[in-house]
Amino acid sequence: MMEKLIIKGGRRLSGTVLTSGAKNAALPILAATILTEGKSRLLNVPDVVDIDSMRKLLSTLGVAVSSPGEDRHIIEVNIGALSRLEAPYDLVRKMRASVVVLGPMLARYGRARVSMPGGCAIGERPIDMHLAALAKMGATIEIDHGYIEARARQLVGARISLDYPTVGGTENIICAATLAKGTTVIDNAAREPEIVDLADFLNAAGARVSGAGTHQVTVDGVDGLTGVEHSIIPDRIEAGTYALAAAITGGEVTVSRCNPGDLGAPLEKLLEAGCEVETSEDSLTVKATGRARPVGITTQPYPGYPTDLQAQWLAFMTLADGSSIVRETVFERRFAHVQELRRMGAKITVDGDMAVVTGVERLQGAPVMCTDIRASASLVLAGLAAENSTVISRIYHIDRGYERIEEKLRALGADIARKRA
Ligand code: EPU
């Protein structure tokens, strides 16, 4: 069923919004349950479509996954023997993050067949570093009819130096290393908070992972892992998106149950743009104080400015008092939102990895289309600030990563509704 979001812009948002659990922490942790034996209970899992896809993938493998109960934020899994060691094309095609089952399946069962993910809307997104690392740990890897075929009787610890701090790659390697023989050291590891959450889950299950959150992660292999209860960290990207919703609408919003410490770079930028920002241990408040000053960003791996908040920042800058430059260094073509924002009157030119944004006085509502999760969020932000109505189609992209976005925004005073097309 095709649905659309209809936003009547121009309302200043105010109030408090609760952050959901982090999709990008919950996905690898759900995959990592494959490494364990017995029952695990995950709390604060976001109720979004990508999590449903991971649920489906785990069921396909033969994992007993609880069906959504009264509290849709709790998922229980019971790991016995997997009945199938294959992540099929149909599921991987819908969600590339499915490849994080590769390391866990290989480590626990000595074999994994995972559909090779293709390119996607935001870039080529190869997984060469994942595969090279697993090969270094003793796996044989072949590509057969579009599938990665990985085998290893027993993975062995290795020293792995990543050319780039890949998030999914670091996750796959950490998972594989937990049950490998000996010690694995990952240099130039990704430092994202989601990596730390994965390590916390694994360590609670009996793994020996140290250094998560730094450039060097060390994993001492153990014989087995047990099921545990674990609560997923708050979604820093969702929290940042609501902070920017406050900023772009000239409002004042408190984002609660988040971790402001995970949002250092974006909050710094909001201050530079002229917003007032207050933080407590688990909440942040952003208040706009007039038209935004133009402030450029360059996306970087954590702790730099996150690529997953680039599109939203760009939307904010379309209304700033001057020109700014947004550079995307993580993905090679993550500017699909630019053409849609232009349809709303934004002045943006793109040259390679750089978008030059010249602030305009106002945006006008228009029919626009989503292309990926974060591009969609930027269209919602633009719609909230634009004159008249914005009709956003292909919103299944938003539902992949944002829990009940229209309800949360409506509670902040936005005029936004979901309609069947
Ligand atoms: N890359 C390679 N080879 C590899 C792995 C990565 O060339 O073997 C390149 C990618 O093509 C990309 C860059 O390295 O240009 C970064 O990719 P990375 O592996 O770090 O990203 P990912 O694990 O595929 C996760 C998030 C993304 C987020 C990026 C960067 C999940 C499920 N996904 O992707 O989230 O943008 O890290 O922070 O954790 C989203 O939530 O909307 C989203 C796209």
Side-chain angles (χ1 to χ4, degrees):
M1 179 207 338
M2 293 290 268
E3 292 181 326
K4 294 185 176 187
L5 282 180
I6 299 170
I7 305 176
K8 291 200 182 94
R11 297 200 177 188
R12 286 170 199 260
L13 299 193
S14 72
T16 298
V17 60
L18 276 183
T19 315
S20 294
K23 161 182 87 77
N24 290 349
L27 289 172
I29 289 174
L30 276 164
T33 61
I34 293 174
L35 292 159
T36 65
E37 208 155 322
K39 284 187 186 163
S40 280
R41 191 161 190 262
L42 301 179
L43 314 176
N44 201 33
V45 181
D47 185 13
V48 295
V49 170
D50 271 11
I51 296 297
D52 294 339
S53 302
M54 183 54 84
R55 213 192 258 280
K56 209 172 286 169
L57 174 54
L58 290 178
S59 305
T60 303
L61 301 175
V63 173
V65 191
S66 64
S67 22
E70 209 160 284
D71 186 344
R72 297 184 58 90
H73 304 103
I74 298 177
I75 298 187
E76 288 173 338
V77 297
N78 194 354
I79 310 286
L82 295 193
S83 53
R84 185 178 176 189
L85 293 171
E86 175 179 302
Y89 175 66
D90 262 2
L91 294 176
V92 180
R93 181 174 61 88
K94 286 196 192 120
M95 185 180 69
R96 299 178 49 91
S98 306
V99 296
V100 291
V101 298
L102 176 62
M105 272 201 283
L106 181 63
R108 175 80 197 277
Y109 293 94
R111 197 157 59 83
R113 194 171 137 86
V114 174
S115 174
M116 184 84 174
C120 78
I122 63 178
E124 297 297 326
R125 303 185 77 179
I127 54 161
D128 52 317
M129 287 184 268
H130 306 223
L131 302 183
L134 295 174
K136 205 161 177 204
M137 296 171 74
T140 55
I141 306 228
E142 282 168 28
I143 306 296
D144 176 46
H145 293 87
Y147 277 78
I148 301 154
E149 292 265 3
R151 279 169 199 275
R153 202 158 285 151
Q154 164 76 68
L155 289 171
V156 284
R159 180 127 202 167
I160 288 152
S161 184
L162 293 171
D163 291 339
Y164 185 89
T166 156
V167 174
T170 302
E171 291 163 350
N172 250 330
I173 301 164
I174 290 176
C175 284
T178 56
L179 297 181
K181 194 165 185 266
T183 300
T184 299
V185 179
I186 311 169
D187 287 311
N188 199 23
R191 291 191 279 164
E192 271 68 4
E194 292 76 18
I195 303 281
V196 178
D197 204 27
L198 172 65
D200 286 347
F201 166 80
L202 290 168
N203 286 338
R208 295 179 58 201
V209 182
S210 58
T214 75
H215 286 301
Q216 192 181 70
V217 178
T218 303
V219 186
D220 290 313
V222 296
D223 289 336
L225 300 180
T226 57
V228 284
E229 178 167 301
H230 177 83
S231 183
I232 304 295
I233 56 168
D235 195 316
R236 64 194 165 99
I237 304 302
E238 189 202 25
T241 301
Y242 287 111
L244 278 158
I248 198 171
T249 61
E252 177 173 356
V253 170
T254 296
V255 185
S256 63
R257 232 197 274 158
C258 67
N259 187 359
D262 292 345
L263 281 160
L267 294 183
E268 200 58 45
K269 290 290 175 183
L270 278 167
L271 282 171
E272 270 183 57
C275 293
E276 286 174 9
V277 178
E278 265 181 42
T279 58
S280 74
E281 205 181 309
D282 64 354
S283 78
L284 62 91
T285 301
V286 171
K287 181 180 178 190
T289 58
R291 196 169 174 194
R293 287 196 285 269
V295 174
I297 55 156
T298 298
T299 64
Q300 296 284 355
Y302 190 83
Y305 189 96
T307 173
D308 286 345
L309 282 173
Q310 177 259 102
Q312 300 89 318
W313 187 266
L314 203 150
F316 179 38
M317 285 297 109
T318 61
L319 289 166
D321 188 12
S323 298
S324 54
I325 292 178
V326 169
R327 273 195 71 209
E328 173 58 60
T329 74
V330 179
F331 291 107
E332 60 273 14
R333 53 164 183 267
R334 202 172 203 180
F335 280 128
H337 41 291
V338 165
Q339 293 179 39
E340 300 302 298
L341 290 170
R342 279 198 200 123
R343 306 191 64 252
M344 300 177 71
K347 279 197 185 157
I348 310 166
T349 55
V350 174
D351 182 9
D353 69 355
M354 204 169 76
V356 181
V357 195
T358 304
V360 292
E361 298 251 349
R362 53 187 69 86
L363 295 174
Q364 299 128 30
V368 288
M369 209 184 277
C370 299
T371 49
D372 70 81
I373 304 174
R374 312 304 170 184
S376 322
S378 85
L379 300 179
V380 171
L381 296 190
L384 290 171
E387 290 176 337
N388 304 321
S389 288
T390 295
V391 179
I392 307 181
S393 56
R394 299 202 181 162
I395 60 167
Y396 47 84
H397 288 291
I398 302 188
D399 295 332
R400 288 186 55 188
Y402 287 91
E403 182 172 333
R404 294 180 291 109
I405 192 168
E406 74 278 16
E407 280 177 42
K408 290 191 184 191
L409 286 171
R410 216 179 293 132
L412 296 173
D415 187 339
I416 176 168
R418 182 182 289 254
K419 294 253 162 71
R420 287 189 189 172

